[in-house]
Amino acid sequence: MSTTALQVQLRVVLSLIFRETRVRFGGTRLGYLWALIEPILHVAVLSAIYVVWGRIAPMGNLQMFFITGIMPFFLFSHTSSQLSRAISSNASLLRLPPITNMDIVFAKALLQGLTWIIVFFTLLFIVMLGGKLVLPEHVEECGAAALFTFLLGFGFGLNNAVLNVMFKSWERIYSSVTRPLYLLSGVFYMVDSLPDPARRVLVWNPLVHAIEWFREGYFANFSSLTLDRSYLIKWSIASVVLGLCMERAFRRRLHSR
């Protein structure tokens, strides 16, 4: 691709990001705030449940323990869900010659990634005001975990974007199948503390490794017995490659819908 063509595509993606920002966050007064309110509600409810049950955080404090579980999970789930309808809901944009399927997908993915970063640091600032802030022990490990979690969400979202156009019922099927992931990914508990039969089942879930990796990088003196970094990396790369191949293979059919 020439430099001029690359500049054109970059401008297209940036314009799509601005458009997506207005569409996604500009519809209601809570549009921008909801991205922050949602994780705060999850942290508050889970913390209240732990307090009522008289339980303490396995590491750090309750707020930081739940944030380091909820935010990696949201990074995957929100990225994959935002991308799932990227093609099917933007058919009119695809009639414009400079815009392609991947332009729309990349724009949505970049917006979601930036939103996640802003929300995460805002949450840390709020926790700091309450005197509960724990700083990450290994920033590079947290960054690597977040990167591959994002790629996993991108890969699943891209595959879903193609399948949603090909099969009208796919979105409902995917939503039903993945709904239990919140309970099966170690968001609000330590997978290492579970009985061996349960742990042997949960380790097949790549999100378990995403959360364990993020927490191991965040908290000092925590070493996960469950974590397999290569497993998450393989899932992330495979899902992205499969999504790119599917988009390329069905590109004409996607444009004709």
Side-chain angles (χ1 to χ4, degrees), residues 169-184:
S169 299
W170 176 253
E171 187 174 10
R172 288 192 292 271
I173 295 173
Y174 177 79
S175 177
S176 299
V177 171
T178 57
R179 192 170 292 129
L181 284 178
Y182 189 86
L183 303 176
L184 301 176

Side-chain angles (χ1 to χ4, degrees), residues 38 84 107 112 178 232:
E38 185 181 14
S84 292
Q112 182 56 45
T178 57
L232 173 62

Side-chain angles (χ1 to χ4, degrees), residues 44-113:
V45 170
L46 291 174
S47 298
I49 292 173
Y50 262 54
V51 169
V52 170
W53 286 354
R55 300 184 61 180
I56 61 174
M59 62 194 73
N61 53 64
L62 286 177
Q63 290 74 30
M64 292 307 307
F65 176 69
F66 291 135
I67 287 174
T68 54
I70 289 168
M71 290 308 292
F73 179 82
F74 278 0
L75 180 57
F76 166 80
S77 62
H78 289 177
T79 302
S80 60
S81 64
Q82 286 298 319
L83 268 58
S84 292
R85 303 193 66 190
I87 299 174
S88 60
S89 62
N90 288 281
S92 59
L93 288 177
L94 294 174
R95 298 191 183 98
L96 303 175
I99 299 178
T100 66
N101 294 326
M102 293 309 302
D103 290 332
I104 298 173
V105 171
F106 281 135
K108 282 181 171 287
L110 289 173
L111 176 60
Q112 182 56 45

Side-chain angles (χ1 to χ4, degrees), residues 72 75-77 79-80 83 106 142-159 204-211 213 227-245:
L75 180 57
F76 166 80
S77 62
T79 302
S80 60
L83 268 58
F106 281 135
C142 294
L147 172 61
F148 285 104
T149 305
F150 174 75
L151 289 177
L152 184 69
F154 177 86
F156 270 72
L158 179 55
N159 281 281
W204 290 96
N205 176 6
L207 285 179
V208 166
H209 302 276
I211 293 172
W213 190 356
L227 174 61
D228 184 349
R229 293 174 177 82
S230 64
Y231 185 73
L232 173 62
I233 293 172
K234 290 173 184 176
W235 264 93
S236 301
I237 295 175
S239 63
V240 171
V241 171
L242 178 60
L244 292 173
C245 290

